[in-house]
Amino acid sequence: MRVDIVTIFPEYLAPLELSLIGRARRAGLLEVVVHDLRDFTHDRHRTVDDAPMGGGAGMVMRPEPWGEALEHVLAQGRAALGEDAVPVLVVPAPSGEPFRQSTARELAAVPWIVLACGRYEGIDERVLVDAARRFPVRPLSLGDYVINGGEVAALVVVEAVGRLLPGVLGNAGSLEEESHEGGLLEYPVYTRPATWRELDVPPVLLSGHHGQVRRWRRDEQLRRTAARRADLVAALDVATLDGTDLTVLADLGWVPGDGGRLVRRLGTDPAAVAD
């Protein structure tokens, strides 16, 4: 996979040289190319922003540097991947669609991503409209909050997507049991020693009975998700749950409703659900 990142702070992306993503890059599993947006300006101040049309606070990123930068990225990427290569342009923005694990899986299936890291009040909307004439554009949001720029989000996207690529994780099975796979949060994890500060590892994990361990972990996933993310429980498909799942969820106040989804039983206090 190739990832191009356009930013006014190239140094911000230095962590992508570290850990599993850095190793994947060195192994040729993932190529990350960082571009400085200011290289596509033509004044001595290397200006990338201007006042918003219609007035208002803050500054808006000008379209000209972005247009030139994306044309350069497109030409460079096609020289490497082939003239028919088409990237997906990801634009981190608080107004974008939520970035979820399912989004990361979708992006991991494409060969080329371009990340446009905005700053200030954002990028002139015409940049996105113009880009959409040539390739898919996906504004993505990390959550319902605002940060200073798209670089943090770019790090998150590259990490979340990169780790899904074949060969990046040493144990591919790790991907199957972590949070948000299968619509549930991950179960609690423990390691040695068995007792620490008078706190014991759950006995079932010491039993050596793999079936019971699997059942305990599944139950804990259900309990943790019900306690922390009611929205995920409500989105579960009842047809994917077994009888024990439904019993655990019923004890937590969730019962099958119309449309094959779960609903919270009247009178259930979500705050009373133990983690």
Side-chain angles (χ1 to χ4, degrees):
M1 169 180 275
R2 178 185 174 103
V3 178
D4 287 89
I5 306 173
V6 184
T7 172
I8 60 172
F9 295 116
E11 300 84 357
Y12 214 119
L13 287 307
L16 295 177
E17 296 283 355
L18 306 175
S19 190
L20 291 175
I21 296 300
R23 188 169 68 187
R25 295 175 68 181
R26 292 186 289 275
L29 301 174
L30 174 66
E31 181 180 12
V32 178
V33 184
V34 180
H35 309 266
D36 189 341
L37 181 67
R38 295 191 191 275
D39 289 343
F40 303 93
T41 59
H42 303 285
D43 65 304
R44 65 175 182 170
H45 299 295
R46 307 180 78 198
T47 305
V48 297
D49 62 313
D50 208 334
M53 286 287 193
M59 302 292 278
V60 176
M61 301 195 88
R62 295 178 61 95
E64 303 97 330
W66 275 107
E68 290 190 30
L70 293 177
E71 287 168 3
H72 171 79
V73 168
L74 190 62
Q76 191 180 77
R78 284 179 170 169
L81 301 174
E83 286 302 314
D84 295 330
V86 177
V88 174
L89 178 62
V90 173
V91 185
S95 58
E97 63 176 291
F99 180 67
R100 299 187 172 96
Q101 186 66 17
S102 58
T103 316
R105 286 196 296 270
E106 291 170 12
L107 293 175
V110 304
W112 185 13
I113 299 170
V114 178
L115 280 150
C117 300
R119 282 267 158 179
Y120 316 119
E121 296 302 311
I123 302 170
D124 188 303
E125 187 68 19
R126 292 170 293 180
V127 174
L128 279 65
V129 174
D130 178 66
R133 296 168 175 168
R134 289 166 289 169
F135 38 79
V137 177
R138 295 193 67 173
L140 295 178
S141 171
L142 294 187
D144 296 334
Y145 52 88
V146 178
I147 51 182
N148 289 331
E151 290 78 14
V152 170
L155 291 171
V156 170
V157 171
V158 174
E159 178 97 7
V161 172
R163 65 193 301 276
L164 298 177
L165 300 177
V168 172
L169 289 187
N171 181 5
S174 299
L175 296 172
E176 299 174 4
E177 297 183 352
E178 60 192 6
S179 288
H180 302 293
E181 293 295 338
L184 297 173
L185 301 183
E186 190 176 12
Y187 49 79
V189 295
Y190 300 86
T191 186
R192 291 186 289 265
T195 300
W196 178 76
R197 295 188 178 179
E198 300 182 358
L199 297 171
D200 296 331
V201 169
V204 65
L205 300 180
L206 306 176
S207 68
H209 194 297
H210 299 303
Q212 291 179 6
V213 170
R214 282 194 298 271
R215 185 66 252 176
W216 179 88
R217 286 175 170 170
R218 175 71 172 180
D219 293 349
E220 289 302 307
Q221 282 189 283
L222 295 167
R223 294 188 181 102
R224 174 170 281 188
T225 306
R228 300 180 181 178
R229 292 291 303 274
D231 59 312
L232 295 180
V233 177
L236 291 174
D237 183 351
V238 171
T240 66
L241 304 173
D242 63 27
T244 305
D245 292 340
L246 292 173
T247 298
V248 171
L249 288 167
D251 290 342
L252 300 171
W254 290 90
V255 295
D258 296 334
R261 301 295 178 183
L262 294 161
V263 296
R264 183 178 282 130
R265 194 168 50 232
L266 292 177
T268 302
D269 180 6
V273 177
D275 184 7

